[in-house]
Amino acid sequence: MKFGVLQFFSWPERRVDLPTVYERALQRIDIMDKTGYDAVWLAEHHFTTYSVCPSVHMMGLHVANRTQHLRIGTGISLAAFYHPLRLAEEVALLDVLSGGRVNWGAGRGFDPTEFAAFGVPKDESAARFREAVDIVLAAWTQEHLNWSGDYWHFQDIEVLPKPVQQPHPPTWIAAGSLEAVQWAGARGHSLMLGPHSHYTDIARRRELYGKELEANGHTLHGRDLPMARLIAVAATDAEAESIARRCAQWLVGSYVNATKASNAAAVATSCRDASGRPLDPIEHYLDGVVIHGSPERMLDQLQMLREEMYLDYLLCAPLSHASFMMFTE
């Protein structure tokens, strides 16, 4: 099993100054570089304390300068909000300056505030995202780019620099909907799943993805499929559950609220127990979203998830610094 970290830059209740948030995250990244993690995946968000990292590419360059072994993942580049040529240039430049250590993760985004502020109609966002991904890959692999699509048109553009990794950096699609899973599978893109879905939903999406790959002449063989899971680790199960519950309350307040109606609807739909009865969102997180417990219980859960949700690349999002340290140890 491979291990990566989905690195948020959360600022809950603004309890410390913002530079401290960044410095603590970078200290954890230094530890990741020395302890066998595959990659740090940097989370991009805008206009929210849920994660204060509006440029994963700029942050990625800073991480590259501090590390030697760790791969640098974008988890994710919100491709619908970028001009695709600028996005291709920035990720390629990061790949060059990091010595070819980029994992490119791309996604559509989910936050209505972001769509409104960037002037991207939400009903166009999926199509814009998909065309942007196609353009980025074409810009990396073609000497001169000619493109005529629904949203962008280019003629004889030489996009520089080209990435160090050839034909391009390994690429993942973050899929929060069944349609996105199907599109990724049909196009042969690798998939990134989580972190807010129940593990049974993740398993179903992984199965659907495998069927779409096979139906379109692609294979699962040789792919890393990161599955993001929130984690809380402590000396006892009770302590870990307390961390998980406290963080779940903050997550629901910042991620699922009146300003993010699509998130609230998605979580409400998925918040069901094994019998299909509605489940409180906090209990939903504790029931099958957050992996929490003592180190011994964590190990048991990882073994179970390896069997039940095909987990072979854990993309963990620690809910506290102590959880990160104990999990690493």
Side-chain angles (χ1 to χ4, degrees), residues 134-301:
D134 289 342
I135 290 171
V136 168
L137 295 175
W140 287 342
T141 55
Q142 297 178 18
E143 186 175 346
H144 289 81
L145 178 64
N146 291 284
W147 187 271
S148 182
D150 293 332
Y151 300 100
W152 291 282
H153 303 268
F154 311 114
Q155 185 174 356
D156 197 31
I157 299 294
E158 184 181 18
V159 179
L160 296 173
K162 302 297 186 191
V164 168
Q165 299 178 90
Q166 291 296 312
H168 55 74
T171 299
W172 285 264
I173 301 299
S177 67
L178 294 180
E179 293 78 10
V181 171
Q182 291 172 314
W183 179 76
R187 297 300 293 270
H189 296 308
S190 292
L191 195 65
M192 181 186 303
L193 291 165
H196 298 284
S197 299
H198 194 280
Y199 77 86
T200 54
D201 292 330
I202 296 289
R204 285 192 289 267
R205 292 177 188 182
R206 165 64 174 70
E207 290 170 350
L208 174 63
Y209 171 69
K211 291 175 182 176
E212 288 292 328
L213 279 178
E214 184 177 351
N216 289 275
H218 308 294
T219 179
L220 271 171
H221 180 71
R223 295 177 186 268
D224 287 334
L225 301 179
M227 296 182 179
R229 297 285 82 190
L230 304 164
I231 67 167
V233 194
T236 68
D237 292 346
E239 290 176 78
E241 181 177 344
S242 177
I243 295 169
R245 184 175 296 278
R246 185 171 64 251
C247 292
Q249 290 168 342
W250 181 76
L251 282 169
V252 169
S254 60
Y255 178 80
V256 185
N257 56 52
T259 66
K260 297 175 173 55
S262 60
N263 303 341
V267 171
T269 299
S270 64
C271 289
R272 307 279 171 175
D273 65 15
S275 303
R277 292 173 298 206
L279 196 65
D280 176 80
I282 304 299
E283 298 306 318
H284 163 77
Y285 273 89
L286 294 176
D287 173 63
V289 177
V290 182
I291 308 174
H292 58 88
S294 64
E296 294 77 15
R297 185 169 185 266
M298 290 289 294
L299 181 58
D300 289 342
Q301 289 180 87

